[in-house]
Amino acid sequence: MKKKTFLLFSILSITLFSEAQNTTLCRYKDLVFPYITIDKNLSYAPVASQNEGKGNLFDLYQPKGDSSTSRPLIIWMHGGGFIFGSKEAEGITIWSKSFAQRGYVCAAINYSLAKNNAIFHLGKLQKNCYYAVQDAKTAVEYFRQHHAEFHIDPHKIILAGNSAGGLIALQAAYSTDRELAKAAGLNDIETKHQGTIKVAGVINFWGGILDLNWLKNARVPIVSELGSDDKIVSPTHKNMTLYGGVDINEKANSLGIPSALKVFDGYSHELQRHFNPFFSGGTNTQKRWLEAGQFAADFLYPLLFK
């Protein structure tokens, strides 16, 4: 499966490079670098115990031959309902590679997973999200402290993810530990962060936020993308506790937060025609993932580089 995914990605990348031959390529928007390097199984929490270590691993994607010493970083977080998935998920691999080809540094991270079925149990989902958010914030702090080592700009760290990964990115950027702990019923827990963690942007692929009012906590630019027929994370509230990308975009606009929304009409969760968590959807779905990535890159460019 991994070899097939890599082959499909290579074919799609070659096609995009071919289409760009007669145009002027723009770093951070276009696929400027034909080759990348990948360093696997590094740790963003070196002092973690052996049992915790796997949950704190990351793969680092960089454009090969890049001489820049101050590059933006995207921290990518996979989906899976907080109970399965890893940094090697197909979508995460595709986005990490394609954004590295644009000139970004990308860190695909693992985070704490639960043993219970959080997808259909809101209370457990909130608790599991809380602990995953702590990992995301730890990762941000780690890369900020090691920015010189990885040649990244500590002021241009972006949180990104699909599905549960999108939830983590949203909650990490806009909620405080205290707010998220209260929502999860963890009132007696000792929170680590008093305010929000500073990031330069959020890429939300079909994720949601628990409380729209949390957007008032930080003026972090956000791009949301989703399928119009998503039944897992609804684009709008619809009597669910999660607020989807349509709600987030409307609230961000009302608050004057830079925001963009792309809706893939007729598609479900993960931009599949009919959502199946155990099947990526094949080449056509991966083309939509690349399209989603391009839309996000186009949104971020004028905010970060002009």
Side-chain angles (χ1 to χ4, degrees):
M1 179 60 73
K2 290 182 181 179
K3 290 183 179 179
K4 182 179 179 181
T5 299
F6 179 77
L7 177 61
L8 290 171
F9 174 80
S10 299
I11 293 172
L12 292 170
S13 295
I14 291 171
T15 300
L16 291 173
F17 273 115
S18 298
E19 292 175 350
Q21 288 302 303
N22 297 322
T23 63
T24 301
L25 297 179
C26 180
R27 184 186 175 102
Y28 303 128
K29 286 184 66 176
D30 303 316
L31 305 182
V32 175
F33 295 89
Y35 304 105
I36 63 171
T37 63
I38 307 174
D39 296 303
K40 287 186 168 290
N41 294 325
L42 307 175
S43 176
Y44 60 86
V47 297
S49 69
Q50 185 174 359
N51 292 332
E52 296 171 330
K54 187 175 181 181
N56 296 132
L57 295 180
F58 70 93
D59 295 341
L60 192 73
Y61 296 73
Q62 301 182 75
K64 188 174 183 179
D66 183 21
S67 60
S68 176
T69 58
S70 184
R71 303 168 295 181
L73 168 73
I74 302 180
I75 298 175
W76 288 98
M77 294 166 286
H78 63 85
F82 300 102
I83 57 173
F84 65 90
S86 77
K87 58 186 172 59
E88 297 179 345
E90 289 186 37
I92 295 300
T93 301
I94 285 176
W95 295 312
S96 295
K97 288 179 178 178
S98 59
F99 272 87
Q101 288 179 305
R102 292 182 174 96
Y104 286 83
V105 177
C106 291
I109 71 169
N110 284 343
Y111 54 83
S112 300
L113 297 178
K115 296 181 180 180
N116 52 60
N117 190 336
I119 298 176
F120 303 107
H121 192 295
L122 181 61
K124 292 179 180 179
L125 180 147
Q126 292 169 325
K127 291 180 181 179
N128 296 334
C129 184
Y130 175 86
Y131 292 112
V133 164
Q134 299 312 302
D135 289 339
K137 291 182 176 182
T138 297
V140 171
E141 292 171 345
Y142 171 82
F143 286 109
R144 191 159 282 146
Q145 292 169 4
H146 293 80
H147 67 93
E149 176 184 347
F150 297 115
H151 297 163
I152 60 177
D153 185 338
H155 303 294
K156 292 181 179 178
I157 297 178
I158 299 151
L159 290 174
N162 61 306
S163 193
L167 267 75
I168 299 169
L170 288 162
Q171 267 59 228
Y174 299 106
S175 73
T176 66
D177 279 5
R178 184 173 298 176
E179 288 171 328
L180 188 54
K182 182 178 180 181
L186 299 171
N187 300 319
D188 58 343
I189 198 167
E190 183 177 347
T191 56
K192 298 179 181 178
H193 308 89
Q194 296 303 312
T196 58
I197 193 164
K198 295 184 182 299
V199 291
V202 168
I203 300 174
N204 168 37
F205 288 163
W206 39 98
I209 195 167
L210 292 166
D211 190 334
L212 278 179
N213 288 321
W214 290 347
L215 291 174
K216 297 178 181 179
N217 290 335
R219 293 187 55 79
V220 178
I222 178 171
V223 53
S224 295
E225 305 190 47
L226 50 93
S228 64
D229 296 341
D230 196 327
K231 301 297 191 299
I232 304 300
V233 180
S234 176
T236 57
H237 190 44
K238 290 186 177 179
N239 297 320
M240 296 177 63
T241 297
L242 281 176
Y243 293 85
V246 172
D247 293 327
I248 291 168
N249 183 64
E250 290 179 356
K251 184 67 173 181
N253 287 334
S254 73
L255 295 172
I257 297 172
S259 179
L261 173 69
K262 183 176 179 62
V263 178
F264 289 78
D265 190 45
Y267 292 98
S268 182
H269 204 58
E270 297 291 348
L271 302 187
Q272 297 179 14
R273 180 67 71 179
H274 303 288
F275 175 59
N276 182 337
F278 304 107
F279 174 62
S280 69
T283 305
N284 289 332
T285 298
Q286 292 178 15
K287 286 181 179 179
R288 289 188 286 275
W289 289 347
L290 286 171
E291 184 180 344
Q294 186 63 61
F295 184 84
D298 291 341
F299 169 75
L300 290 172
Y301 181 76
L303 296 173
L304 298 179
F305 310 110
K306 284 190 176 181

